[in-house]
Amino acid sequence: MMATLQSNPMDERDMQEVLSEEEDDQYGIGGHRRSHSNPGAAKSRPQPPTSLAIMPGEDEDVGQSWTGGLVQGCAPVFQPFGEPALSSVSLTTPSPGKSNKLENIKNWTISTYKCSRQSLYEKLGKTNRTVDSELEGQIETLRDTQRKYGNILRLARALTSHFYHVVQTQSSLGECFSDLAHKSPELQEEFLYNAETQRNLTKNGQQLLAALNFFVSSINTIVNKTMEDSIMTVKQYEVSRVEYDAYRSDLDYYREAPKTEVNQLKLGETEASFNAKRTEFEKLRSDVQIKLKFLDENRVKVMQKQLLLFHNAVSAYFSGNQTSLEATMKQFAIKVKSPNSQPPSWMQQ
């Protein structure tokens, strides 16, 4: 972008007076051109103004324009050496919050680099890693258990979905038999028998369906909430273990480095960071051990109840033992939904 300086325009009268004075200055009085040999009675050349005059009524405080001159004229404002220049931009020092944020970003960058280097060296076999065989075995068992329980959950959902459609089909078939019984007198007795059978099957099917939904809900809680919470703690523990090993490797390096002033300073900083990472690592390892212990106890209790429910409900339904099926529903305090209820909520997801 190009900018031009705006100057105060002159009146035509002032312009003509200046031109006439220049002509008189050039030619002198009498019309003869004045030269070094014939200076003549020349008038003195007008001197440039030392300051801009402010007309009456104007504000005496004349601001400074963005071009460096005055708002009312084109004369630039020159700052003497050693004096600060006037500027509308305030110079402020960074706030403590910004400094802390930059420091956090710096520390995060350094930590990320160290962890990435540690992970790469571990894969290449160029460094040692902290190994807790017993705890890592328990973690691997947890992940394998979660995969197997996830497969049970998937199959149980499929069974519940298929059986839901079976119950709905039986209900519709019973209604169709009942309707034909009134419209076909010659087959009324046969239609009524089948309609009653389908109604009983639908009623028992609703009870089994409620038991299956309860089973699916409990397995889903174990897999996607209880176990997943422990898995998240395990992931935090693994990240902490990499950080611990990364700072441990740096500490070993500075301990074996030459005893220079810079290395001694780095050794002190690294040792402080290493102690903090070791405390965090030991705390997370303890948290993982406690969570795995309570998870295993809770899983056993819940699955004992759910497997007993699943066995009793399925056996009673397919053996036609309605009394045993109703007793199972009361034992586990399961409420049966009405035949016209909507499909289970997980099917709509």
Side-chain angles (χ1 to χ4, degrees):
M1 179 183 298
M2 299 185 65
T4 58
L5 293 175
Q6 300 292 335
S7 61
N8 291 330
M10 292 184 175
D11 296 334
E12 292 186 8
R13 187 186 309 167
D14 297 338
M15 184 66 71
Q16 291 176 1
E17 290 178 1
V18 173
L19 292 177
S20 63
E21 289 177 358
E22 290 182 354
E23 290 178 357
D24 294 340
D25 187 36
Q26 291 179 1
Y27 293 97
I29 301 174
H32 300 284
R33 183 179 182 84
R34 181 168 52 85
S35 62
H36 293 283
S37 61
N38 185 23
K43 296 181 180 180
S44 61
R45 188 181 300 273
Q47 298 298 325
T50 58
S51 62
L52 292 178
I54 300 177
M55 300 301 293
E58 295 180 349
D59 192 0
E60 293 183 358
D61 296 333
V62 182
Q64 185 177 358
S65 68
W66 65 272
T67 58
L70 298 176
V71 174
Q72 301 297 332
C74 63
V77 177
F78 296 97
Q79 294 293 336
F81 293 99
E83 294 186 10
L86 299 177
S87 174
S88 60
V89 180
S90 61
L91 300 177
T92 58
T93 57
S95 61
K98 294 182 179 179
S99 301
N100 294 336
K101 186 175 182 181
L102 292 175
E103 187 67 22
N104 292 336
I105 294 176
K106 175 184 175 182
N107 295 335
W108 175 84
T109 304
I110 295 175
S111 179
T112 302
Y113 165 74
K114 291 179 181 293
C115 293
S116 301
R117 182 189 61 186
Q118 178 69 22
S119 299
L120 179 61
Y121 282 0
E122 287 180 1
K123 292 180 181 179
L124 297 177
K126 293 184 178 181
T127 186
N128 298 325
R129 61 186 297 267
T130 302
V131 179
D132 190 337
S133 302
E134 181 180 359
L135 183 58
E136 290 186 358
Q138 295 176 356
I139 292 174
E140 186 60 30
T141 301
L142 170 63
R143 286 174 171 159
D144 184 62
T145 303
Q146 187 185 33
R147 285 192 295 267
K148 293 179 179 179
Y149 276 54
N151 190 39
I152 293 176
L153 177 62
R154 179 181 61 84
L155 295 175
R157 281 177 170 174
L159 175 62
T160 305
S161 176
H162 296 324
F163 190 73
Y164 168 81
H165 292 290
V166 170
V167 172
Q168 293 298 315
T169 303
Q170 290 175 340
S171 178
S172 300
L173 188 59
E175 294 177 358
C176 184
F177 286 155
S178 179
D179 183 64
L180 288 174
H182 298 288
K183 296 181 179 180
S184 302
E186 66 280 6
L187 297 174
Q188 184 177 15
E189 186 176 355
E190 287 79 3
F191 278 130
L192 288 176
Y193 287 155
N194 284 276
E196 184 65 23
T197 301
Q198 295 301 320
R199 278 195 293 268
N200 291 333
L201 289 175
T202 300
K203 179 181 177 181
N204 296 336
Q206 289 291 336
Q207 293 178 338
L208 178 60
L209 187 62
L212 293 176
N213 283 330
F214 187 75
F215 178 79
V216 168
S217 177
S218 300
I219 300 298
N220 179 67
T221 301
I222 293 177
V223 175
N224 295 323
K225 293 184 179 180
T226 308
M227 289 186 177
E228 188 62 26
D229 178 70
S230 299
I231 291 294
M232 293 300 297
T233 306
V234 167
K235 291 180 180 179
Q236 294 176 2
Y237 160 76
E238 292 175 343
V239 172
S240 177
R241 197 274 309 164
V242 174
E243 292 180 348
Y244 168 77
D245 285 341
Y247 281 92
R248 178 178 55 81
S249 299
D250 286 352
L251 184 62
D252 293 340
Y253 169 79
Y254 284 115
R255 282 175 177 173
E256 297 176 359
K259 307 297 182 180
T260 62
E261 183 179 356
V262 176
N263 288 341
Q264 291 299 315
L265 181 61
K266 290 290 185 180
L267 176 61
E269 295 177 355
T270 305
E271 188 172 3
S273 300
F274 168 76
N275 291 332
K277 296 299 179 181
R278 180 175 59 184
T279 302
E280 181 182 358
F281 168 70
E282 292 176 352
K283 179 181 181 301
L284 285 173
R285 179 170 60 183
S286 176
D287 292 345
V288 170
Q289 292 173 343
I290 293 174
K291 282 196 173 184
L292 291 180
K293 178 181 178 181
F294 284 104
L295 172 64
D296 191 60
E297 294 176 357
N298 184 50
R299 177 183 60 84
V300 171
K301 292 180 181 179
V302 172
M303 289 306 298
Q304 284 178 345
K305 177 182 178 180
Q306 295 302 318
L307 291 174
L308 180 61
L309 165 66
F310 187 84
H311 174 267
N312 292 344
V314 172
S315 299
Y317 174 81
F318 285 101
S319 64
N321 191 343
Q322 184 177 358
T323 304
S324 177
L325 181 60
E326 292 177 354
T328 301
M329 302 300 290
K330 290 180 180 180
Q331 178 184 356
F332 293 95
I334 300 175
K335 296 182 179 180
V336 181
K337 295 182 179 181
S338 61
N340 296 327
S341 61
Q342 297 296 326
S345 59
W346 58 264
M347 296 178 58
Q348 300 174 0
Q349 299 178 355

